[in-house]
Amino acid sequence: MNDKAYFSQVEQNINHLLSEGKYREAHNLCLKYLAKYPEEKRFEKLKEKIEKRVTEQNEKVIKQKLEEIKPLYKEEKYKEILKNLEPLLRIAPQNEKLKKEIIKAQEKYKEKTKELQKKFEEEKNEKFTKLLNEDEERLIDELFLLERDNPGNIEVQKITNKFRDKLIQKKIKRKTDLIYSDKYDAIYNFIDQLKKIDDKNKRIIELVKLVKSREHGNQLTEKSEFIYDAENHLITLMKLKKYDKAIKVAEEILDLDPSNKKAKKILKKAKKKYYKQTRKFAIDTIYKKIDKLKE
């Protein structure tokens, strides 16, 4: 078979594929022979013919699809419209009508979503406000269920965070007397209960800071009072010559306040006095024993 007959046969095969609507196969075959025989213009013409046919076919499909989706606008099924149109961009990325229609559907979908979101928020606000006033335990359950059913939804997270904060605020206000008391075990137990609602809530974090500050302040006050009383007692013990007890009290003061000069000075003096006192007592005891032995 000569080249002319061979090329005619290939051309016929490509046209046959084209008539069957096998555009991709026909196009690939054209590209294959163009790569081998770039000077053979018939394959270039065939390629252009296929591309034109494909473009016409795509236009026809898009036109038909645009007609089909019109009733969906009345039903406000914008998501379904986008689902039908967006895949067509792959076959006709330059089609202006298609692009405009997709933008239109996107805007409509955005507006509808915003309206639905607003309605959703209004309904949840009304429901959760009622539960906040009437049934706090059920409110906690409802917030948990809403988050569970909408994982990763930012708007839902905002709503649940808002009402958890409102609930925590209400509980803190209710326990004001406890918070400003010195019942720290009960206060920390209350804080643990709040953390079960939302352990990252800013009100709880601030409450912990407040309680720790008050507790530390009370501890400092108690410590100062103890040291003051102990110092007075220490002076009394020294006057009564109870040096062993004075040493013990001075050491307790220094455990709490290592830099206490008064306690250091008295401790040093008490140890010397105690040494002399015990030494004299020991000597007197020995002399008494000697006198008894002599008798």
Side-chain angles (χ1 to χ4, degrees):
M1 185 183 294
N2 58 33
D3 288 347
K4 189 176 181 180
Y6 174 69
F7 291 144
S8 293
Q9 183 60 50
V10 172
E11 184 179 6
Q12 188 178 344
N13 292 341
I14 293 171
N15 278 317
H16 181 67
L17 289 170
L18 190 58
S19 67
E20 291 183 341
K22 297 179 180 178
Y23 304 119
R24 186 180 295 277
E25 290 180 40
H27 194 261
N28 287 340
L29 205 55
C30 277
L31 294 177
K32 176 183 174 182
Y33 283 97
L34 271 173
K36 283 185 179 181
Y37 312 104
E39 72 284 350
E40 192 60 38
K41 299 300 179 184
R42 72 177 73 198
F43 295 122
E44 184 64 40
K45 288 179 180 179
L46 274 172
K47 184 173 85 68
E48 291 173 0
K49 180 182 177 182
I50 294 167
E51 289 171 353
K52 185 180 179 182
R53 184 74 63 84
V54 168
T55 301
E56 288 171 355
Q57 190 64 28
N58 287 343
E59 292 288 338
K60 187 178 178 182
V61 169
I62 291 168
K63 187 177 180 181
Q64 184 181 344
K65 188 60 71 175
L66 290 175
E67 286 296 319
E68 288 175 3
I69 56 116
K70 281 182 179 179
L72 296 176
Y73 276 104
K74 291 180 181 179
E75 298 173 29
E76 296 186 348
K77 294 182 178 179
Y78 307 119
K79 192 173 182 179
E80 191 174 334
I81 291 170
L82 290 169
K83 189 178 178 181
N84 279 281
L85 297 184
E86 285 174 344
L88 298 177
L89 273 178
R90 290 196 293 269
I91 62 172
Q94 304 304 320
N95 189 295
E96 291 300 322
K97 285 184 180 179
L98 178 61
K99 288 195 283 187
K100 284 180 181 178
E101 202 66 34
I102 287 174
I103 291 170
K104 177 185 172 183
Q106 286 173 337
E107 290 298 323
K108 293 284 186 182
Y109 180 63
K110 189 177 178 181
E111 287 173 14
K112 185 182 178 183
T113 302
K114 194 177 285 186
E115 287 174 9
L116 289 173
Q117 183 62 39
K118 186 180 178 182
K119 188 178 179 182
F120 172 80
E121 288 176 7
E122 287 173 353
E123 288 175 355
K124 293 302 176 187
N125 273 317
E126 184 179 350
K127 179 181 180 180
F128 294 155
T129 299
K130 187 177 180 182
L131 287 174
L132 179 66
N133 295 325
E134 297 175 4
D135 193 340
E136 294 177 2
E137 291 303 316
R138 190 180 160 199
L139 172 62
I140 295 170
D141 292 340
E142 289 289 338
L143 294 175
F144 170 76
L145 291 171
L146 183 62
E147 284 182 335
R148 188 197 66 183
D149 296 339
N150 298 274
N153 188 309
I154 296 172
E155 298 304 319
V156 165
Q157 196 67 54
K158 285 180 183 177
I159 294 171
T160 55
N161 284 345
K162 181 173 81 171
F163 277 92
R164 282 197 177 96
D165 183 63
K166 282 178 178 288
L167 179 58
I168 288 167
Q169 183 183 25
K170 184 180 177 183
K171 285 180 176 288
I172 289 173
K173 189 174 181 181
R174 191 188 296 151
K175 293 286 185 178
T176 302
D177 290 342
L178 172 65
I179 290 166
Y180 286 94
S181 73
D182 59 355
K183 299 174 182 177
Y184 292 105
D185 288 341
I187 293 170
Y188 284 118
N189 182 57
F190 170 61
I191 289 171
D192 287 339
Q193 295 301 314
L194 292 180
K195 285 181 177 179
K196 290 178 182 178
I197 299 171
D198 182 1
D199 61 350
K200 294 178 182 176
N201 184 274
K202 289 182 180 180
R203 292 183 193 277
I204 299 175
I205 294 168
E206 291 302 317
L207 177 60
V208 171
K209 286 180 183 177
L210 171 67
V211 173
K212 284 188 179 295
S213 175
R214 288 188 61 254
E215 184 182 22
H216 183 62
N218 285 350
Q219 286 173 348
L220 288 177
T221 303
E222 289 169 6
K223 178 180 168 182
S224 299
E225 288 174 357
F226 173 81
I227 291 171
Y228 177 77
D229 291 341
E231 285 175 349
N232 290 333
H233 185 48
L234 186 58
I235 293 167
T236 302
L237 290 171
M238 291 297 288
K239 286 179 181 178
L240 295 172
K241 296 182 180 181
K242 295 182 179 180
Y243 304 120
D244 56 334
K245 292 183 178 179
I247 290 169
K248 187 177 179 182
V249 172
E251 286 175 343
E252 286 177 357
I253 292 171
L254 289 170
D255 281 341
L256 288 171
D257 183 11
S259 62
N260 191 300
K261 292 179 181 179
K262 191 173 183 179
K264 284 181 181 179
K265 185 178 179 181
I266 293 176
L267 177 62
K268 189 176 180 181
K269 185 177 179 180
K271 282 181 177 179
K272 285 181 180 179
K273 293 281 187 182
Y274 184 60
Y275 173 72
K276 287 180 182 178
Q277 189 182 62
T278 52
R279 184 170 174 271
K280 185 177 182 299
F281 176 77
I283 290 169
D284 289 345
T285 302
I286 291 168
Y287 278 129
K288 285 178 182 177
K289 286 183 178 179
I290 290 172
D291 289 341
K292 284 183 180 180
L293 286 171
K294 283 179 180 180
E295 291 176 5

